[in-house]
Amino acid sequence: MLDWSILSFLIWLPILGGAGVLLAGERNVTRQLALAVTVLTFLVSLLLYTHYDLARPGLQFGEQLAWIDAFGIRINYALAADGIAIPLIILNCFITILVIIAGWEVIQYRPAQYMAAFLIMEGLVNGVFAAQDAILFYIFFEGMLIPMFLIIGIWGGPNRVYATIKFFLYTFLGSVFLLVSLIYLYQQSGSFALQDLYRMHDIDMHAQLLIFLSFLFAFGVKIPMWPVHTWLPDAHVEAPTGGSVILAAITLKVGGYAFLRFLLPIVGDMAAEYAWLIVLLSLWTIVYIGFVALVQADMKKLIAYSSIAHMAFVTLGFFLVFLIQRLLPGTASNGAIMALQGGMMQMVSHGFVSGAMFLCIGVLYDRMHTREISAYGGVASRMPWFAAFFVLFSMANAGLPGTSGFVGEFMVILASAKANIWIAVVAALTLILGAAYSLWLVRRLLFGEVRTDAVNQLQDLNRREFLVLSLLAAAVLWLGIWPRPLTDLMEPSLHQLMEQVMLTDVSINELGN
């Protein structure tokens, strides 16, 4: 166990580093400083994995300071991490390095502000994953909107203002409901500490339903769940490549993480009551959005819609827990843990795969300045290294065994079969639809005749691009071939989460009385 404030370091080093980059301004040292900060942050984040004690699956690396104590309200600066938070913190730090490298030569307009925004975003997201006080979580949860708002609004495409405002309104509206619910919970418990909120088992049925709906909306927008998903394709299309990578690989994971930290352990009995609804919505999203992705003419929109379909596997896995528990009672049946693990694995895998896909699209856009699939064809003959990476990531996006995309989806489908075989059958359609739109994109983009002079003049990957895609390819293959280090890290904490969820499993009828 580390005896220093590692979580505060992971939050404030990138934030202060971002401020330093801003002060450095448009100088040659700006990019080197930003890269140095992100690499150091990532190396320190690895200490969370190496020093986490699996024999004690609870929260570790704890920090707590009295922050606000006035007018009868106490808010603590409380941080901690477990096997659920640590993989996401490391993922965030890893992806941010790649985003900084990817924008090294591409971003010529205000590069200092661009890189500072990503550094500050990195620190705020780490704060979301580490916060153990509800208001502290809310501040980080809202704060991360600001750099993303600027990234899309300043460096985005022609319709960036529309996309930015839509993104902000959707996510901010959901956060308002979240804040109201947290204030109500504080009035009932007298504390904003998450562990105190977990011990609340006497919330009346009506209040619990409203809290459940507010949490569902606030976090569902982030994932995003159908039907509050429409902001995501617009944001992806207009965002610069780095913005799309962070949006898909990191920001969407905040919603899934919040389900595990707030919705399931605090209002688990209401989640159990309406689990069937979320499972149906997830299945509908998997199928419907898969077909929507098939007809896209814009590469970014296609990958954006595929992200929505893949993130539906996360909500499917998380809420399958309740259906499985009804059929296989127990505090933590193997099926329920498998469903939770599958959802978590899908989040981490999607971070690698979606980030890689958007970086590949960015490589082509930097050369030809168009995202229209019809403008390409025969790219493999001019960019063989790029084609090899793109095929690998497309196969991972389709869930090919041996890649990270297969692991989480397979675990969720296997857990689905324990609840209902038809749920598993419908969920498995994503493997067919994912293969359809991924292979169709590969066919139109990489193969066939070279139809334009612009494609004929394409240059293959430079060293910077090769490095970034190689790191992601290694991560995709590592997680697909040997996922055990990650599952071993997650499993004890997920067992503890299941125990917390089951403690809230009070009869709805009893609550009503």
Side-chain angles (χ1 to χ4, degrees):
M1 175 65 79
L2 301 174
D3 57 0
W4 54 286
S5 302
I6 183 172
L7 292 175
S8 286
F9 186 89
L10 292 173
I11 294 170
W12 296 107
L13 173 64
I15 292 175
L16 295 176
V21 169
L22 283 175
L23 291 175
E26 311 305 331
R27 302 177 184 175
N28 293 332
V29 74
T30 298
R31 292 174 172 82
Q32 287 84 349
L33 176 60
L35 181 60
V37 170
T38 57
V39 170
L40 179 58
T41 305
F42 172 67
L43 293 176
V44 172
S45 74
L46 294 178
L47 296 177
L48 294 176
Y49 176 79
T50 59
H51 287 74
Y52 185 74
D53 187 357
L54 290 174
R56 298 189 302 111
L59 295 164
Q60 298 177 31
F61 315 106
E63 305 172 34
Q64 182 158 318
L65 295 171
W67 179 29
I68 298 174
D69 192 355
F71 307 108
I73 298 175
R74 184 179 180 84
I75 301 173
N76 292 320
Y77 176 80
L79 305 174
D82 60 5
I84 298 172
I86 289 171
L88 298 176
I89 292 174
I90 296 175
L91 174 67
N92 179 38
C93 297
F94 175 69
I95 293 295
T96 305
I97 294 177
L98 304 185
V99 167
I100 295 298
I101 298 174
W104 197 270
E105 299 169 356
V106 177
I107 302 299
Q108 298 297 323
Y109 177 68
R110 297 182 178 178
Q113 290 93 324
Y114 178 84
M115 295 188 177
F118 282 108
L119 289 173
I120 294 170
M121 179 86 174
E122 178 184 15
L124 293 171
V125 172
N126 284 341
V128 168
F129 294 141
Q132 294 300 311
D133 182 279
I135 293 300
L136 184 65
F137 171 89
Y138 180 80
I139 290 171
F140 285 128
F141 187 77
E142 285 295 278
M144 59 183 281
L145 289 178
I146 299 171
M148 184 54 69
F149 181 90
L150 296 174
I151 289 165
I152 301 174
I154 296 176
W155 293 276
N159 295 321
R160 60 185 180 273
V161 174
Y162 167 78
T164 303
I165 293 174
K166 189 174 182 179
F167 158 72
F168 185 83
L169 289 178
Y170 267 75
T171 52
F172 183 74
L173 182 61
S175 300
V176 170
F177 288 98
L178 171 62
L179 180 60
V180 172
S181 295
L182 295 179
I183 292 172
Y184 174 82
L185 290 170
Y186 175 81
Q187 290 175 336
Q188 300 301 308
S189 66
S191 173
F192 283 117
L194 293 188
Q195 298 303 316
D196 291 334
L197 299 184
Y198 295 161
R199 288 189 281 268
M200 293 179 64
H201 306 311
D202 56 351
I203 308 173
D204 69 78
M205 181 177 65
H206 181 67
Q208 190 170 164
L209 176 60
L210 293 177
I211 294 169
F212 169 77
L213 291 175
S214 68
F215 283 175
L216 182 64
F217 182 57
F219 306 141
V221 167
K222 286 283 191 191
I223 285 181
M225 294 175 63
W226 183 91
V228 289
H229 66 287
T230 59
W231 64 269
L232 184 64
D234 292 325
H236 271 308
V237 167
E238 299 305 323
T241 298
S244 290
V245 171
I246 291 295
L247 197 60
I250 305 300
T251 305
L252 305 190
K253 311 305 174 290
V254 170
Y257 172 80
F259 274 135
L260 298 182
R261 276 287 179 257
F262 284 83
L263 192 148
L264 269 63
I266 295 177
V267 287
D269 46 352
M270 196 58 65
E273 184 72 9
Y274 289 98
W276 62 271
L277 176 61
I278 309 304
V279 167
L280 288 178
L281 282 176
S282 300
L283 293 174
W284 166 255
T285 303
I286 289 169
V287 177
Y288 168 69
I289 297 297
F291 280 111
V292 172
L294 270 172
V295 299
Q296 297 304 310
D298 184 301
M299 290 186 291
K300 262 196 173 185
K301 271 199 173 182
L302 190 154
I303 303 305
Y305 279 112
S306 78
S307 290
I308 298 170
H310 285 108
M311 287 302 293
F313 258 87
V314 175
T315 53
L316 177 62
F318 291 169
F319 284 87
L320 271 175
V321 167
F322 300 102
L323 301 186
I324 295 170
Q325 285 298 123
R326 288 176 183 173
L327 296 172
L328 304 170
T331 54
S333 72
N334 290 335
I337 296 299
M338 184 186 297
L340 289 174
Q341 272 190 329
M344 279 294 299
M345 292 293 289
Q346 179 71 356
M347 284 206 292
V348 176
S349 168
H350 182 261
F352 293 140
V353 176
S354 66
M357 293 295 287
F358 280 115
L359 282 168
C360 285
I361 293 171
V363 167
L364 291 179
Y365 184 80
D366 292 340
R367 288 158 169 75
M368 289 187 54
H369 303 290
T370 178
R371 295 183 300 269
E372 291 297 317
I373 300 172
S374 59
Y376 296 88
V379 171
S381 64
R382 297 296 177 265
M383 302 177 69
W385 279 111
F386 170 84
F389 282 117
F390 193 81
V391 169
L392 170 64
F393 298 136
S394 296
M395 294 301 97
N397 199 47
L400 181 73
T403 65
S404 63
F406 174 76
V407 179
E409 291 181 1
F410 178 72
M411 293 176 76
V412 173
I413 292 171
L414 204 59
S416 301
K418 293 181 179 293
N420 187 295
I421 189 62
W422 290 109
I423 295 177
V425 169
V426 176
L429 287 177
T430 192
L431 300 176
I432 300 172
L433 292 171
Y437 56 68
S438 297
L439 294 176
W440 184 228
L441 175 62
V442 167
R443 167 67 182 83
R444 291 179 289 172
L445 197 68
L446 300 181
F447 301 110
E449 296 181 0
V450 176
R451 295 191 296 268
T452 65
D453 290 337
V455 172
N456 200 43
Q457 295 173 10
L458 287 175
Q459 299 294 317
D460 209 350
L461 300 174
N462 57 39
R463 287 182 295 177
R464 173 182 55 81
E465 294 164 339
F466 187 88
L467 172 64
V468 171
L469 296 182
S470 294
L471 291 172
L472 283 167
V476 166
L477 292 173
W478 163 71
L479 194 58
I481 296 170
W482 193 38
R484 184 168 181 177
L486 193 55
T487 57
D488 286 349
L489 174 64
M490 295 174 180
E491 187 170 352
S493 296
L494 292 175
H495 273 282
Q496 187 177 63
L497 172 65
M498 279 299 303
E499 292 173 2
Q500 292 172 338
V501 170
M502 290 304 107
L503 283 175
T504 66
D505 194 13
V506 180
S507 164
I508 295 295
N509 291 329
E510 290 177 6
L511 288 172
N513 295 331

